[in-house]
Amino acid sequence: MDDDHVLEQAEAWLAQGRKVALATVVKTWGSAPRPAGSQLAINDQGAFVGSVSGGCIEGAVAAEAQQ
C-alpha cells in the first residue's frame, strides 16, 4: 500500500470516530528495509495499514500506538 492510501485509510477511520496513530520513517541508515517517508497508520482496534520496517518492528510500533 502506498503512503497516499495509508493517509486515506487514516482519514476514513477518523471519519468513523476511531482514534488513529500515524508512524513515519524520518531517517534511515544501513540496510533499512523502508525509506524515509514510509508510513503506517493504526486505529484503536489494532487494525493497521502501511509499513515502516518491512515487518520486523511493526508489532512494537503498534504496541506504542495503543499506549
Side-chain angles (χ1 to χ4, degrees), residues 37-65:
S38 297
Q39 295 183 311
L40 178 142
I42 184 166
N43 72 21
D44 55 353
Q45 294 180 325
F48 68 93
V49 294
S51 176
V52 290
S53 72
C56 56
I57 64 164
E58 260 72 5
V61 171
E64 286 295 315

Side-chain angles (χ1 to χ4, degrees), residues 3 7-11 15-17 19 21 24 28 35 39-41 43 51-52 59 64-65:
D3 294 329
L7 296 177
E8 288 172 5
Q9 182 61 63
E11 183 178 33
Q16 295 168 3
K19 292 180 181 177
T24 304
T28 65
Q39 295 183 311
L40 178 142
N43 72 21
S51 176
V52 290
E64 286 295 315

